[in-house]
Amino acid sequence: GQQLNQSPQSMFIQEGEDVSMNCTSSSIFNTWLWYKQEPGEGPVLLIALYKAGELTSNGRLTAQFGITRKDSFLNISASIPSDVGIYFCAGQLGSNYKLTFGKGTLLTVNP
Amino acid sequence: GAVVSQHPSWVICKSGTSVKIECRSLDFQATTMFWYRQFPKQSLMLMATSNEGSKATYEQGVEKDKFLINHASLTLSTLTVTSAHPEDSSFYICSARDQRGTSTDTQYFGPGTRLTVL
């Protein structure tokens, strides 16, 4: 089956720093989604990407759908303490609409 | 918006009892919903796809007789954990497929249900 490699596994940064995380796949996806999950809660959609090469921003967040359709990255600029959480990438392909999730990136922001 | 709710948010039950979890799409209709299970410090694991008006599709290794799914309306799917045992304790999360965009299709997640089986 499809597998997503998400890196880094965890990040410890200072407030104000920029953050970058990415996902790569051995096969293509039609859609890439980035979610943030905080403890005890469900994932919250941050950015959705639907076209190869697409670059989309949501406030301080920017994500891109790789041109090969096998990768995506998420950047967070000027991090703040409330950015703390686990960030998941997810890819979707096919008419069953199932998502394949990365293993997540745990982000810790030191004030 | 695209809001998905789950009820209850947490439940504690005795071993051998059954527990029902509800997933509702509050401001859109969802012909397809998904049920996930998440263990501590792990990613989401898809259990099954819930289709309105038809039988659910289960992922390999998920017992369909233990995890009963019903999707009786376009806004409600239920997951019943039958004869629950301590190893079923987990965080159960649903998602709903939002098809309102003409060229977009995405999933929104509920807040999750923490199940603890004693």
Side-chain angles (χ1 to χ4, degrees), chain B residues 19-104:
Chain B
V19 174
K20 179 185 285 188
I21 303 171
E22 294 185 348
C23 177
R24 293 181 186 272
S25 55
L26 298 185
D27 52 359
F28 65 101
Q29 294 181 331
T31 56
T32 307
M33 293 184 176
F34 301 87
W35 287 96
Y36 295 82
R37 182 164 51 183
Q38 186 179 34
F39 292 107
K41 299 187 178 181
Q42 294 188 21
S43 189
L44 285 76
M45 184 181 75
L46 179 65
M47 299 175 65
T49 303
S50 173
N51 301 298
E52 187 268 336
S54 64
K55 292 182 178 180
T57 305
Y58 291 81
E59 295 300 298
Q60 190 173 9
V62 178
E63 299 176 58
K64 62 180 181 180
D65 294 330
K66 180 168 183 62
F67 298 100
L68 301 179
I69 292 172
N70 184 277
H71 194 153
S73 78
L74 288 172
T75 59
L76 173 64
S77 174
T78 60
L79 169 69
T80 301
V81 183
T82 62
S83 187
H85 288 92
E87 57 265 31
D88 298 323
S89 298
S90 188
F91 193 50
Y92 291 87
I93 314 173
C94 71
S95 71
R97 180 181 164 222
D98 183 359
Q99 304 163 251
R100 291 174 294 175
T102 54
S103 61
T104 61

Side-chain angles (χ1 to χ4, degrees), chain A residues 4 6 21 23 32-38 41-47 74 85-91 100-106, chain B residues 38 41-44 93:
Chain A
L4 289 185
Q6 184 170 352
M21 59 191 78
C23 278
W32 281 95
L33 305 168
W34 285 92
Y35 293 90
K36 177 187 177 186
Q37 185 178 29
E38 297 187 27
E41 299 182 10
V44 175
L45 181 66
L46 300 174
I47 293 180
L74 174 70
I86 302 177
Y87 291 79
F88 289 101
C89 64
T100 300
F101 277 85
K103 293 188 176 182
T105 296
L106 173 61
Chain B
Q38 186 179 34
K41 299 187 178 181
Q42 294 188 21
S43 189
L44 285 76
I93 314 173

